[in-house]
Amino acid sequence: MPVSKLISMNEAIERYVLNGSSVAMSTFMEQMIIYSAAHEIIRQRRKNLTLIGPISDLLFDQMIGAGCVSEVKAAWVGNVMMGSAYQFRRAVEEAVPNKIKMTDYSNLTMALALHAGALGVPFLPTLSTLGSDLLKENESLKEFDSPVSDEKLVAVEAIIPDVAILPVQRCDETGNAHLWGSLGVSIDAAKASKIVILVAEEIVPPELISSDPGRTLIQGFQVSAVVHEPWACHPSPMQGYYNRDDSYFSEYHKETKTRDDFENWLGKWVYGVENREHYMSLLGEEKIKSLKIKKSALSVPVDYGI
Amino acid sequence: MAVEKKYRLRELMICAAAREISDGDIVFVGMRLPLIAFVLAKKVYAPNAVGLFENGIIRSTPSPSLIYTMGDTPNLIGATHTGEMLTVMAYLQQGKVSVGFLGGAEVDRYGNLNSTTVKSGDNEIRLPGSGGACDIASLAKKVLIIMSHEKDRFVKKVNYITSPGYGDGGEWRKSAGLRRGGPAAVISTKGIFDFSPDGLMQVRSIHPGLTANEVQDATGFDLPMPNEVAETQPPSEEELKVIREYDPAGFWTGWNSKKRGD
C-alpha cells in the first residue's frame, strides 16, 4: 500500500516552509489562491521568505504586511479588483514593516522561468521584454543573440522554488491530483519545485483519480505533503466548489489602508484564528452559503474503454 | 460641459475600444474596460472574435455574467478551453493575437507605458507592475491603450518602461528586436490618438464637449492636431444597451452610480 502523505496545514508549514525559503504561491492567478497556507505561515512567524508567483491578488500583500517576506519575484502585486495593495506599497516605499527586494517579471517571463525549472534547463528564450526596463533591471532576464537565427532574444533564467503550495480540487492520499479550470502557471510550479504541498478540497480514492488520468495534472511522486482543507482559498474562488467573495476585496482595501488598520485586520483574521475550520466559523454560515456553488455544470464523462 | 450627456465617459471609451476589434480577431482580453469592450465587440461588431485570458482561458462567447477578475467562476462557463498560461502566451508570442489592450499610470509621446513605479516629488510610488502588459506590448500585432487623460499621466518621458511602445521613435522597435506591433491608438478620457509613421502620438478625434486646447492643456507634451479636429462618435443606443446589460450596477462603467462616475 502506498503511504499516505496526509498531514495538517500546521504540520506541513512547520516541516517544509522554513525561514529563508523561496515559496511559489498563488500560481493560478486570480482563482484558487491559497490563503489558508499564507495565514498559517504568518501565524508561525516565518521570516525572510522569497515569494514567487505571477499575480497574487492579496496574498502577497498580507504576507508582506505580516513581515514574513524579504523578496518578491512577481509580475503584478496588488488588489485585482481595487488597484493598489497597501502593505506591498509600504514595504517598497517606506520599508514598513521591513525592506523587501522586488524583482519585476512579466507574466510570460514568470511562466517561462518556472517552465525552465520544470524542464530542468537553465533558461528558456523569449521575444518578450525586449526594449523594456524589466529587461534592464531584472538580473534573471538577459538579452542574447540567437545561436540559430539572426535575431535578439531574452534568456529567462530558471526558477526552482524550495516549496510550491498548491490548492487542488481533489487528490488521493499520495498526491495524484485532479485539477480543472484555469491553471495559470501551477503545473510548471509543481514540476519545478523541490517540495510540493497540495491542499485538497476533497481526498478521493486512487481509483477515482485513475478513472480519468487526463485530468491528473500533478503526479503523486512530485508531492511531499497532502493537506485536506476545504475552503482553503477563500476569498478567491475554486471552480466547482465556491465563488469569489467580491466584497472581501473591497472591504480589505478599506480596512488595511493604514498600518494600524492592517494590524487590527491581522489580529482579527489571522493571529486570532486557530486554523481554517475556526476561520470558517468566523466567516459564518450565511456567508458560506452565499458563496457556495448554486448550480452544477458537470462535464460529460469521457470513455477510456478498450 | 453644458449639455447633460446620456452616457458616461467610460462607456464612450468602451465603445471606442470595441470598434477597434474586427470580426475574427484573436483578442487578448484585459480586465476593467477592455473586458466590457470585448463583450460589446462580440455582440455588435465582431461575432467571430475569440478572447484569450492570460490565466489560461479561451472563450468564443462572452461570460454569462459580469466578472471582476478573469479567474471568476462565470468566466469558465461556456469557455472553449481552460488550461495553462503558456497556452495562450504561445499564441501571443507566435504573432496570432490581433489586438491587446493596455493601461498604465503614465504614457509618453511614443506610446511607452509605465505601470511599475512613478515619481511624486522626491518619493517613488510603487504600482502593481507589468502583469502581462509587457508581453502584450512586445508581442501583439496591435496594442490599444486605454487611460485617464491628465497632465501628469501624459508625460514627455515615462519614469519606467513597463510596456514598450515606439521607444524614442523611428526604427526603435526593430532595433530593440521587437518583430511587430506597437500601439495603434490611445483611447483616453479626452480623445482618441494614433501614431505617426515616426511613432509620435497625434490627435485622431476629441470627445464631444471638449476643445483642442483643453486636450493640449491636459497633455505634458505637444500634440500634433489636424486643422479640423474630428469628434469622437458617441455611443449608440444599441451599444449602451449591451454595456448596461452586462454591467447593470455600473461597477466598471459607473453609469448607475453617482459616487463612481467619470
Side-chain angles (χ1 to χ4, degrees):
Chain A
M1 270 295 279
V3 182
S4 168
K5 294 170 187 169
L6 266 177
I7 55 175
S8 69
M9 180 65 86
N10 178 289
E11 206 180 339
I13 300 304
E14 195 170 277
R15 199 183 295 175
Y16 294 115
V17 180
L18 311 176
N19 287 336
S21 289
S22 61
V23 191
M25 295 176 86
S26 74
T27 49
F28 291 84
M29 312 282 282
E30 293 93 346
Q31 66 283 4
M32 291 171 70
I33 303 174
I34 190 65
Y35 285 96
S36 70
H39 292 181
E40 184 57 30
I41 290 170
I42 294 171
R43 278 194 290 272
Q44 294 195 23
R45 315 248 174 197
R46 287 294 178 276
K47 295 277 176 209
N48 296 320
L49 301 179
T50 295
L51 298 182
I52 298 160
I55 285 178
S56 75
D57 221 327
L58 297 175
L59 180 137
F60 285 5
D61 192 62
Q62 295 176 1
M63 295 179 76
I64 290 165
C68 302
V69 181
S70 59
E71 191 175 351
V72 175
K73 295 178 180 183
W76 200 94
V77 185
N79 181 331
V80 173
M81 193 167 116
M82 305 302 294
S84 274
Y86 295 114
Q87 320 324 311
F88 168 62
R89 275 193 58 184
R90 256 192 291 277
V92 175
E93 294 169 15
E94 303 162 36
V96 174
N98 56 270
K99 205 175 145 194
I100 59 167
K101 182 185 176 200
M102 173 69 190
T103 305
D104 279 283
Y105 284 78
S106 65
N107 280 340
L108 174 54
T109 49
M110 173 54 70
L112 289 172
L114 290 168
H115 197 55
L119 290 173
V121 294
F123 73 91
L124 282 170
T126 182
L127 295 164
S128 186
T129 72
L130 286 162
S132 75
D133 283 343
L134 277 76
L135 176 58
K136 277 187 199 154
E137 297 198 1
N138 180 337
E139 288 173 1
S140 298
L141 305 176
K142 289 192 174 76
E143 195 176 310
F144 70 109
D145 292 325
S146 166
V148 295
S149 57
D150 184 24
E151 59 194 331
K152 288 178 188 173
L153 292 167
V154 173
V156 182
E157 191 182 354
I159 293 182
I160 299 171
D162 293 326
V163 192
I165 309 177
L166 303 168
V168 297
Q169 277 109 335
R170 64 191 185 200
C171 68
D172 64 25
E173 290 187 0
T174 65
N176 293 299
H178 277 182
L179 294 89
W180 55 94
S182 46
L183 305 168
V185 299
S186 301
I187 308 309
D188 280 329
K191 287 177 185 160
S193 299
K194 295 174 198 160
I195 298 282
V196 175
I197 301 170
L198 297 188
V199 185
E201 190 70 16
E202 289 188 70
I203 303 294
V204 296
E207 301 77 45
L208 191 152
I209 297 294
S210 56
S211 77
D212 191 1
R215 217 182 296 281
T216 314
L217 302 182
I218 296 173
Q219 313 311 317
F221 62 76
Q222 298 170 256
V223 174
S224 298
V226 176
V227 175
H228 181 213
E229 208 174 54
W231 289 77
C233 299
H234 173 270
S236 67
M238 179 178 266
Q239 202 77 27
Y241 294 88
Y242 47 92
N243 284 302
R244 189 171 193 268
D245 186 354
D246 295 314
S247 61
Y248 177 106
F249 292 84
S250 51
E251 278 159 27
Y252 179 89
H253 197 64
K254 280 181 241 148
E255 288 169 3
T256 64
K257 199 161 181 178
T258 68
R259 180 68 201 169
D260 282 351
D261 286 348
F262 176 72
E263 280 172 11
N264 288 336
W265 181 92
L266 210 52
K268 183 178 174 195
W269 287 106
V270 183
Y271 290 128
V273 176
E274 246 168 82
N275 52 33
R276 201 57 175 179
E277 221 178 316
H278 184 200
Y279 176 93
M280 294 309 292
S281 73
L282 289 177
L283 207 57
E285 270 178 39
E286 207 175 310
K287 183 69 151 179
I288 295 170
K289 205 177 146 201
S290 74
L291 296 173
K292 232 181 188 153
I293 293 293
K294 311 251 169 350
K295 194 171 162 233
S296 272
L298 295 173
S299 70
V300 178
V302 297
D303 193 346
Y304 285 98
I306 51 171
Chain B
M1 274 175 284
V3 188
E4 199 191 328
K5 282 187 288 189
K6 293 196 177 106
Y7 55 87
R8 293 289 178 136
L9 210 38
R10 289 190 207 154
E11 293 175 321
L12 175 78
M13 293 163 78
I14 290 167
C15 293
R19 293 170 195 152
E20 299 281 339
I21 299 174
S22 305
D23 201 19
D25 273 359
I26 296 179
V27 182
F28 220 82
V29 186
M31 284 294 101
R32 300 172 187 263
L33 303 190
L35 167 74
I36 305 178
F38 175 67
V39 173
L40 178 59
K42 280 291 301 177
K43 293 197 172 168
V44 179
Y45 302 109
N48 299 300
V50 174
L52 306 185
F53 297 78
E54 57 198 344
N55 58 351
I57 296 175
I58 301 178
R59 300 194 64 93
S60 50
T61 55
S63 65
S65 57
L66 182 71
I67 53 175
Y68 299 102
T69 80
M70 59 181 75
D72 291 6
T73 45
N75 206 27
L76 267 74
I77 302 294
T80 50
H81 172 80
T82 66
E84 298 182 76
M85 185 201 283
L86 275 181
T87 301
V88 297
M89 286 293 184
Y91 295 127
L92 180 67
Q93 186 159 266
Q94 278 177 20
K96 284 210 170 74
V97 170
S98 336
V99 53
F101 293 97
L102 296 177
E106 290 180 336
V107 64
D108 66 24
R109 57 169 67 190
Y110 293 108
N112 303 299
L113 279 167
N114 173 16
S115 54
T116 303
T117 175
V118 292
K119 282 206 170 70
S120 168
D122 290 338
N123 299 323
E124 294 268 336
I125 295 175
R126 175 66 214 203
L127 307 166
S130 162
C134 180
D135 308 313
I136 295 166
S138 305
L139 303 169
K141 280 191 220 165
K142 180 167 108 173
V143 162
L144 298 171
I145 297 168
I146 299 185
M147 14 193 313
S148 177
H149 199 134
E150 294 151 39
K151 205 161 192 160
D152 58 357
R153 286 173 171 268
F154 278 60
V155 295
K156 272 204 178 84
K157 197 173 174 356
V158 291
N159 185 45
Y160 181 105
I161 298 182
T162 312
S163 307
Y166 296 107
D168 50 21
E171 295 289 300
W172 182 89
R173 281 185 76 88
K174 206 177 161 194
S175 66
L178 297 166
R179 289 186 187 180
R180 65 182 92 88
V186 180
I187 297 161
S188 84
T189 44
K190 299 206 183 293
I192 303 177
F193 309 87
D194 50 26
F195 292 85
S196 73
D198 280 343
L200 276 169
M201 200 190 297
Q202 59 192 16
V203 174
R204 189 201 285 174
S205 70
I206 286 178
H207 297 336
L210 292 172
T211 66
N213 281 343
E214 283 172 310
V215 176
Q216 179 59 67
D217 286 348
T219 307
F221 51 85
D222 285 339
L223 267 174
M225 302 258 178
N227 287 337
E228 283 200 32
V229 181
E231 187 179 89
T232 309
Q233 187 192 336
S236 69
E237 293 289 327
E238 188 193 10
E239 288 172 324
L240 284 178
K241 190 168 168 272
V242 171
I243 293 170
R244 291 173 182 181
E245 271 172 9
Y246 187 71
D247 185 10
F251 181 83
W252 294 121
T253 62
W255 80 276
N256 208 6
S257 147
K258 284 190 176 112
K259 237 175 150 185
R260 290 180 187 274
D262 294 337

